[in-house]
Amino acid sequence: MKVFSTNGMKATLIAAALPFWGFFGHRLINEMAVYTLPPPLIGFYKAHIDYIRLHAVDPDKRRYAVAGEAERHFMDLDHWGKAPFADLPRDWQGAYWMHAEWRWSTSAGDTLWGVYDPKSRLLRWKVDSTRYDSLSIDPACVRSQFFAARSEGFAEQPVILGCLDTLWQERDWGTLTLRDTFSKHGVLPYHLLHSYRQLIRAFESGDVDRILRQSADLGHYIGDAHVPLHTTKNYNGQLSGQDGIHAFWESRLPELFAGQDYHFVVGRAEPIEGDPADYFWQIVMDSHGMVDSVLSEEAKLSASWPEDQQYCFEKRGSARLLVPCEAYSRAYHQSLNGQVGRRMRAAIKSLAAVWLSAWTAAGKPELTAFAAGSKISETDSLSLQDYEHLPRKQQH
Ligand SMILES: [Zn+2]
């Protein structure tokens, strides 16, 4: 994508105007998923559909305010090699510990670096060129220490572990620290499972506010997981001279064409089959398989299209913003052959499946009983103005 000489400026302007699937896309996914649910779930969600729709973008609003939030929205899979990413355990702890930095500062003043082996669950140390020592660690203790430190906003700081066995402490072997060098590359598929489990617990609790909050949040992360560029380190085309392609694909295209070209008939929701972790991983793997076409189609188009007709100024409220021109957008959209609409439909279908499965896993609690008890306001003045620039028929 070529935009004069104001590349950095352009990316900023577009990002500000069109954040992540766009508010439009995220809200559409959350809302449409409701209509695919079977009774009695549909009755409950429909009673709260304004909340589910409006709060579809809450996780994006938290990105810069809450420690650990930003990395939940993406995963740079290609940072970890090539598909199928053999060095990336599908369980969070295995992956996290394997790729975290383990440092042992001995009491003699030496520093040794450990490597965690997820198969044996041992932490191994290179003693000399041929010999390793290993140490077993108490997973529950490490986990609780890490999260205690992280909740105070120290995710990038080493965590001093106080949970080594007593032998270690008695012999004064020094200090073992664990530093998070994993999460900054994204944790989206792991977080999907976590968020899904939180929704199950919310259903079990019968707390309507909690169910709604978790349901809306989960819709956001499911939406992100269906966007190919949320699964690559070249997430904004910055590594291939295509800066701005993120918002182009996930915001500009749906805003221009969802009202005319997409259909959202996805059928009645079916529950997830098999292991939910595998299900969530499959979503991001499918998305990752499309990264190539997202980038290469735009690169091809950009090379053949007049440079001064790729970006245009457009009025947004009182501002004039530089966005991909409509004709250029249409050509890109056509070259992708329905890909954006397909991913949006897949997101709608997945989200409904996940809500349905969480409710089922919680023992199908009676929903009508607590549908009336919500204290949540159905209006959210923060968000409605985001719709103002959309053509009327696209508003919901
Ligand atoms: Zn997001």
Side-chain angles (χ1 to χ4, degrees), residues 278-348:
D278 292 342
Y279 179 82
F280 293 128
W281 267 95
Q282 194 58 50
I283 295 174
V284 292
M285 293 296 280
D286 287 349
S287 285
H288 193 67
M290 296 171 203
V291 169
D292 237 20
S293 57
V294 169
L295 294 167
S296 64
E297 289 303 328
E298 203 279 332
K300 261 192 278 176
L301 191 63
S302 176
S304 64
W305 204 268
E307 280 189 34
D308 61 350
Q309 291 169 34
Q310 296 185 15
Y311 272 83
C312 298
F313 278 103
E314 201 167 271
K315 209 166 168 344
R316 295 280 173 124
S318 55
R320 267 163 49 83
L321 295 174
L322 204 51
V323 293
C325 304
E326 199 164 329
Y328 187 64
S329 301
R330 178 168 293 107
Y332 180 41
H333 192 242
Q334 280 165 359
S335 76
L336 292 170
N337 198 21
Q339 184 188 58
V340 182
R342 273 197 306 281
R343 288 316 273 163
M344 211 178 233
R345 278 195 299 282
I348 291 166

Side-chain angles (χ1 to χ4, degrees), residues 20-21 26 59-60 63 69 72-74 220-221 224 230:
F20 324 109
W21 252 134
H26 274 299
D60 275 344
R63 278 174 85 112
E69 178 61 45
R72 295 173 179 168
H73 300 246
F74 67 93
H220 182 92
Y221 300 120
D224 280 354
H230 278 251

Side-chain angles (χ1 to χ4, degrees), residues 59-80:
D60 275 344
K61 292 177 181 170
R62 292 198 298 263
R63 278 174 85 112
Y64 305 102
V66 176
E69 178 61 45
E71 59 247 32
R72 295 173 179 168
H73 300 246
F74 67 93
M75 181 141 194
D76 295 344
L77 284 173
D78 40 12
H79 176 80
W80 304 109

Side-chain angles (χ1 to χ4, degrees), residues 76-372:
D76 295 344
L77 284 173
D78 40 12
H79 176 80
W80 304 109
K82 289 206 178 309
F85 311 106
D87 282 343
L88 202 52
R90 276 17 176 194
D91 70 295
W92 176 80
Q93 185 172 292
Y96 175 81
W97 284 12
M98 189 172 161
H99 297 293
E101 181 186 280
W102 299 85
R103 188 178 62 187
W104 176 13
S105 305
T106 70
S107 40
D110 295 327
T111 299
L112 299 174
W113 303 96
V115 177
Y116 179 73
D117 173 16
K119 287 205 180 73
S120 64
R121 299 187 168 197
L122 291 174
L123 194 57
R124 308 179 79 216
W125 312 93
K126 204 165 189 179
V127 179
D128 57 37
S129 59
T130 56
R131 280 188 318 121
Y132 282 89
D133 262 355
S134 60
L135 171 75
S136 73
I137 40 184
D138 173 2
C141 183
V142 174
R143 206 166 42 233
S144 68
Q145 282 245 336
F146 172 72
F147 280 114
R150 187 191 181 95
S151 66
E152 289 165 25
F154 298 130
E156 286 301 313
Q157 299 295 320
V159 179
I160 296 172
L161 299 177
C163 40
L164 297 164
D165 59 26
T166 46
L167 187 66
W168 177 288
Q169 289 169 26
E170 278 164 15
R171 294 191 182 176
D172 190 21
W173 280 345
T175 313
L176 181 64
T177 61
L178 167 65
R179 194 166 73 91
D180 183 0
T181 46
F182 174 71
S183 303
K184 63 184 175 188
H185 304 291
V187 297
L188 175 56
Y190 305 101
H191 187 68
L192 284 172
L193 184 63
H194 177 69
S195 186
Y196 171 67
R197 288 178 174 154
Q198 283 184 316
L199 180 58
I200 295 173
R201 283 197 286 276
F203 274 123
E204 287 167 347
S205 76
D207 179 337
V208 176
D209 293 357
R210 203 169 140 195
I211 295 168
L212 294 177
R213 205 166 48 241
Q214 290 300 337
S215 296
D217 274 9
L218 196 45
H220 182 92
Y221 300 120
I222 290 277
D224 280 354
H226 282 80
V227 176
L229 291 173
H230 278 251
T231 68
T232 172
K233 58 189 174 188
N234 191 16
Y235 56 88
N236 196 25
Q238 77 281 15
L239 304 178
S240 51
Q242 295 172 284
D243 299 75
I245 193 169
H246 194 114
F248 189 12
W249 190 99
E250 72 171 18
S251 298
R252 180 67 167 159
L253 295 184
E255 283 191 6
L256 283 173
F257 306 113
Q260 331 160 357
D261 294 7
Y262 304 168
H263 71 82
F264 294 110
V265 183
V266 299
R268 184 54 64 85
E270 304 281 347
I272 296 172
E273 277 178 25
D275 183 351
D278 292 342
Y279 179 82
F280 293 128
W281 267 95
Q282 194 58 50
I283 295 174
V284 292
M285 293 296 280
D286 287 349
S287 285
H288 193 67
M290 296 171 203
V291 169
D292 237 20
S293 57
V294 169
L295 294 167
S296 64
E297 289 303 328
E298 203 279 332
K300 261 192 278 176
L301 191 63
S302 176
S304 64
W305 204 268
E307 280 189 34
D308 61 350
Q309 291 169 34
Q310 296 185 15
Y311 272 83
C312 298
F313 278 103
E314 201 167 271
K315 209 166 168 344
R316 295 280 173 124
S318 55
R320 267 163 49 83
L321 295 174
L322 204 51
V323 293
C325 304
E326 199 164 329
Y328 187 64
S329 301
R330 178 168 293 107
Y332 180 41
H333 192 242
Q334 280 165 359
S335 76
L336 292 170
N337 198 21
Q339 184 188 58
V340 182
R342 273 197 306 281
R343 288 316 273 163
M344 211 178 233
R345 278 195 299 282
I348 291 166
K349 206 172 167 58
S350 293
L351 177 56
V354 167
W355 285 342
L356 178 59
S357 301
W359 174 68
T360 306
K364 301 188 174 180
E366 182 77 47
L367 290 163
T368 46
F370 49 74

